[in-house]
Amino acid sequence: MKKIHIKTWGCQMNEYDSSIISNLFLLNKKKYCLTDTPFKADVLILNTCSIREKAKEKLFHQLGRWKKIKEKNPKIIIAVGGCVATQEGKEIYNRANYVDIIFGTQTIHRLPNMINEIQKNKTFLIDISFPTEEKFDSLLEPRVSKLSSYVSIMEGCNKYCSFCIVPYTRGVEVSRKCDDVLFEIVSLAKKGIKEIHLLGQNVNAYKGETAYGGICSFSELIELIAEIKEIKRIRFTTSHPVEFTRKIINVYEKVPKLVNFLHLPVQSGSNRILKLMKRGHTISDYKKIISELLLIRPKMQISSDFIVGFPGETKKDFYKTIKLIEEINFDMSFSFIYSPRPGTPASIMKDNETSYSEKKIRLDLLQKRIRKQALNWTKKMMNSIQIILVEGVSKKNISELYGKTENNRTAYFQGLSTMIGKFVKIKITNTFINSVRGIFINYVN
Ligand code: SAH
Ligand code: F3S
């Protein structure tokens, strides 16, 4: 029995990939099991991320720790995958020759075979190629919970925003075949899944081949998924403003199963910075999408990603971002200080004199502002009726059940265990920072 330890850094896509990796091993339960403790493991797997920070240094620090474990037990296999592995390739082995396997973002499905081969031949292996379609074919339904599941529908990105490493580490956009996606969702529905979270770096750029040789767009895919009776709620991340078409906006009218919550990254509130970022859209393009959506769904809440301190960002640019945050009234964000990624066009752009501490002050201000808005959104839920998918019994109070609202708040209420797995309506009676409490009203069919 081989014990596998997986350490994951980074985005939802990486979390998703790691759950696929664990599923690949758990398929063979007689041979493999998972362990949380690295020094008890036979195989150490690191799934890296290079989106921000000092990714390379972080990797070698981690490998340094694992080297000590390997010195005590030389039979341990160390495998490094993900975005840093795709980018650095054999360089990793050149600096840390105790690493046995380097695999890429698109070759995770080959990992069990690579491990078998290492056991036989004991020579270093590397595979950082991009067989994305082959990866799709070997996907194994990772779950979020017993009721909700991620479904990867596309990978990669063709947008080449000037700051971003993703197009280089995940490759160009490749969509899964429409029937494959639907087949997977139907089979998840049969297993009791009620909520689907579609996943892709640029999820709304989806263009999946159909069985008849046509192309299914993102909005068409959503309409098809909505026809699957057992699936009651549909979410997706991450979408891009450039491909947020009229057809996608209209789908919000046709498909009530789409939640009243949208994560649509804008990055900055300044047109000058958006242009330097090569985002391909302006602030008014972004606002137009939101206002059209709000006409259809007045209760829609929006979240975004922001980058603070992009090369050349002035105080004036930054305050334009704050103004946009207030205008849109964003609820939550992923926001970070700009970090130069080697090989990207922005990494060689001239920066102004803005110090790192000033950038940090800007980020704190932005995050405080959004936290305040998020709190106001939660407070506004008082006395409202919310639909929640009941996930289980509260750990803090066993007489209460809990579930998620459409806008991702955890909701608690008194209920019967037979309600678990169902959608119910509750009336909100208390609001807290990240959660709400309510009383049961009725079931939702
Ligand atoms: N559409 C993608 C975006 C991937 S990158 C998705 O979310 O799946 C996620 C976020 O990381 C970006 O929206 C951006 O805000 C941030 N990011 C990317 N490159 C960055 C960099 N060089 N410095 C700081 N933040 C960055
Ligand atoms: Fe990155 Fe821009 Fe694509 S942020 S993932 S290059 S849309």
Side-chain angles (χ1 to χ4, degrees), residues 73-140:
N73 177 6
K75 277 192 187 153
I76 281 183
I77 295 172
I78 298 182
V80 180
C83 290
V84 184
T86 303
Q87 242 186 316
E88 299 296 323
K90 197 154 181 223
E91 273 303 301
I92 296 174
Y93 177 74
N94 295 346
R95 243 177 96 175
N97 66 2
Y98 46 90
V99 167
D100 302 280
I101 295 172
I102 292 177
F103 62 102
T105 54
Q106 306 303 337
T107 48
I108 54 171
H109 55 289
R110 295 181 180 166
L111 193 53
N113 281 344
M114 290 173 94
I115 289 174
N116 283 342
E117 215 164 296
I118 283 283
Q119 278 165 342
K120 277 188 233 143
N121 300 324
K122 309 247 175 296
T123 50
F124 168 72
L125 284 177
I126 177 164
D127 185 352
I128 49 173
S129 56
F130 284 83
T132 312
E133 284 176 30
E134 183 190 301
K135 177 183 171 187
F136 283 149
D137 288 342
S138 24
L139 293 182
L140 294 160

Side-chain angles (χ1 to χ4, degrees), residues 305-324:
D305 293 350
F306 293 98
I307 294 180
V308 168
F310 188 78
E313 184 193 74
T314 60
K315 249 196 173 125
K316 210 168 151 196
D317 293 315
F318 172 70
Y319 278 99
K320 286 186 177 164
T321 305
I322 295 290
K323 188 166 161 255
L324 182 74

Side-chain angles (χ1 to χ4, degrees), residues 55-78:
K56 226 159 103 182
E57 277 110 284
K58 200 172 156 194
L59 165 66
F60 286 106
H61 275 135
Q62 181 60 48
L63 286 178
R65 284 192 285 272
W66 283 1
K67 183 185 179 194
K68 291 196 186 111
I69 300 180
K70 189 156 177 164
E71 277 165 359
K72 285 193 193 123
N73 177 6
K75 277 192 187 153
I76 281 183
I77 295 172
I78 298 182

Side-chain angles (χ1 to χ4, degrees), residues 353-369:
E353 301 295 297
T354 312
S355 64
Y356 191 79
S357 59
E358 166 63 23
K359 291 182 181 181
K360 186 121 190 19
I361 291 170
R362 289 182 194 173
L363 181 70
D364 286 347
L365 212 139
L366 181 151
Q367 291 182 333
K368 261 195 203 119
R369 178 74 228 178

Side-chain angles (χ1 to χ4, degrees), residues 11-13 51-52 157 163-166 200-203 237-240 263 265 267 279 305-307 334-341 344:
C11 63
Q12 268 166 335
M13 204 55 136
I51 200 82
R52 286 174 286 270
C157 182
F163 54 82
C164 185
I165 199 77
V166 169
Q201 256 88 28
N202 248 310
V203 79
T237 36
T238 297
S239 43
H240 192 284
H263 183 67
Q267 313 296 354
R279 289 287 292 173
D305 293 350
F306 293 98
I307 294 180
F334 293 105
S335 42
F336 303 93
I337 292 178
Y338 166 73
S339 135
R341 300 292 79 207
T344 59

Side-chain angles (χ1 to χ4, degrees), residues 133 136-137 153 175-182 206 208-209:
E133 284 176 30
F136 283 149
D137 288 342
I153 63 166
S175 294
R176 257 175 108 184
K177 289 195 179 93
C178 174
D179 283 5
D180 290 355
V181 172
L182 293 173
Y206 177 81
E209 206 182 297

